[in-house]
């Protein structure tokens, strides 16, 4: 996603970015500082495509080594691409492209921000270089029965933080799981108040509470698809349930969906 998307986007923008750098006197030594997993990451954000891909590849290899150290023989369950195709189902190539476009926009925004420090305030009140993941769900999503910092949302944050930082993107993962709550109607009708108005990926993990009440998933899906930031909707469930059917239909309406 980083490699494919960024290469395609920068090809048509490289000359414009170079002109902008010359006009603004851009600094090639822009630094991003990111805190996570008990460590500080001070990474200079590269500006050339080759340098950026090299920086990301370095961090990616570091992540793979860390995962192998933590999970030993089980690491293949989530690093082997053939297994991921089975475990992680993206409904279509269109949903993949919508996710890639979102990543590309943030990568390009960072490159512009390096040469134009006022970009984040002149374009939007939110930082266009922050990628926000929000977990919505019941007790299983919240991590009840486990340490909060060992919930899958926290594990995700600590795992990918440095990779995003290597290309200038600030990764934020928010755990919005609430024990005893189904997806609707309360949470569905108050999404922006509960989960925020700047979301890139929003998960549905309410299988335990929603059960056979698939209409709840329908309400949640329709409200999530109408969220102002148009996030990718990721359902943590089985495609054999009626809940997935409720979500999948919104792909035809312009929303990226995944299972």
């Amino acid at each position: 996603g980083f490699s494919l998307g960024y290469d395609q986007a920068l090809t048509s923008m490289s000359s414009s970015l170079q002109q902008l750098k010359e006009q603004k006197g851009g600094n090639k030594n822009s630094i991003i500082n990111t805190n996570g997993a008990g460590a500080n990451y001070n990474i200079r954000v590269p500006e050339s495509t080759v340098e950026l891909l090299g920086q990301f590849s370095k961090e990616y290899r570091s992540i793979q080594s860390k995962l192998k150290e933590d999970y030993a023989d089980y690491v293949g369950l989530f690093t082997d691409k053939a297994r991921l195709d089975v475990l992680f189902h993206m409904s279509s190539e269109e949903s993949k492209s919508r996710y890639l476009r979102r990543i590309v926009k943030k990568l390009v925004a960072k490159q512009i921000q390096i040469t134009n420090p006022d970009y984040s305030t002149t374009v939007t009140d939110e930082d266009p270089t922050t990628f926000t993941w929000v977990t919505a769900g019941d007790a299983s999503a919240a991590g009840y029965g486990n340490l909060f910092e060992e919930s899958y949302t926290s594990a995700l944050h600590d795992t990918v933080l440095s990779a995003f930082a290597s290309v200038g993107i600030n990764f934020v993962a928010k755990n919005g799981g609430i024990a005893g709550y189904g997806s609707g109607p309360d949470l569905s009708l108050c999404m922006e108040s509960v989960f925020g108005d700047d979301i890139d990926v929003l998960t549905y993990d309410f299988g335990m509470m929603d059960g056979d009440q698939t209409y709840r998933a329908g309400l949640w899906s329709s409200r999530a698809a109408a969220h102002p930031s148009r996030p990718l909707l990721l359902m943590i469930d089985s495609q054999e349930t009626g809940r997935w059917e409720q979500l999948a239909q919104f792909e035809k309406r312009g929303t990226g969906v995944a299972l």
Side-chain angles (χ1 to χ4, degrees):
F2 279 100
S3 304
L4 175 64
Y6 190 77
D7 267 335
Q8 291 178 342
L10 196 61
T11 299
S12 61
M13 293 190 64
S14 57
S15 60
S16 298
L17 284 173
Q18 183 59 40
Q19 293 175 5
L20 184 59
K21 292 171 191 174
E22 294 173 357
Q23 294 172 4
K24 298 289 185 178
N27 181 5
K28 295 195 67 174
N29 294 317
S30 178
I31 302 294
I32 182 171
N33 178 273
T34 305
N35 299 322
N40 294 327
Y41 298 96
N42 289 292
I43 300 175
R44 183 178 69 81
V45 180
E47 295 183 34
S48 72
T49 308
V50 174
E51 188 182 8
L52 183 138
L53 293 177
Q55 181 83 338
F56 174 74
S57 297
K58 176 182 177 181
E59 292 299 326
Y60 180 69
R61 290 193 297 271
S62 176
I63 289 173
Q64 287 184 312
S65 298
K66 180 63 165 60
L67 289 174
K68 188 172 183 180
E69 179 183 337
D70 290 344
Y71 297 99
D73 294 340
Y74 296 97
V75 70
L77 291 174
F78 43 84
T79 59
D80 183 84
K81 292 185 177 180
R83 290 182 177 180
L84 286 176
D85 286 340
V86 176
L87 295 174
F88 184 77
H89 168 70
M90 189 75 75
S91 59
S92 75
E93 290 300 318
E94 183 60 29
S95 282
K96 285 184 180 180
S97 68
R98 288 168 184 160
Y99 174 72
L100 288 177
R101 285 198 297 269
R102 185 175 288 269
I103 291 287
V104 168
K105 287 172 63 178
K106 295 186 180 295
L107 289 168
V108 174
K110 183 60 185 180
Q111 297 301 306
I112 297 174
Q113 193 180 67
I114 290 173
T115 55
N116 183 6
D118 295 329
Y119 176 69
S120 61
T121 56
T122 57
V123 176
T124 174
D125 291 336
E126 300 293 340
D127 185 351
T129 64
T130 294
F131 189 94
T132 304
W133 167 294
V134 175
T135 298
D138 48 36
S140 60
Y144 276 57
N146 199 0
L147 296 175
F148 181 80
E149 61 270 20
E150 293 183 359
S151 66
Y152 65 75
T153 304
S154 296
L156 170 70
H157 176 268
D158 293 343
T159 300
V160 306
L161 184 68
S162 62
F164 275 84
S166 71
V167 291
I169 300 177
N170 181 33
F171 181 83
V172 176
K174 301 178 180 179
N175 191 340
I178 305 175
Y181 264 78
S183 63
D186 304 37
L187 296 180
S188 296
L189 298 178
C190 302
M191 279 194 176
E192 293 174 51
S193 298
V194 177
F195 304 125
D197 55 10
D198 181 33
I199 306 173
D200 293 293
V201 175
L202 178 61
T203 73
Y204 171 102
D205 190 2
F206 293 97
M208 181 170 61
M209 291 301 299
D210 282 1
D212 295 333
Q213 297 175 319
T214 56
Y215 63 86
R216 285 189 173 188
L219 174 61
W220 186 92
S221 299
S222 64
R223 294 291 299 143
H227 192 279
S229 59
R230 301 298 297 273
L232 173 77
L233 305 181
L234 173 62
M235 177 169 279
I236 302 177
D237 208 328
S238 169
Q239 60 182 326
E240 298 177 358
T241 68
R243 295 184 291 273
W244 168 240
E245 294 180 2
Q246 295 288 340
L247 177 63
Q249 62 180 312
F250 286 94
E251 183 183 52
K252 298 178 181 179
R253 305 179 189 181
T255 300
V257 299
L259 177 67

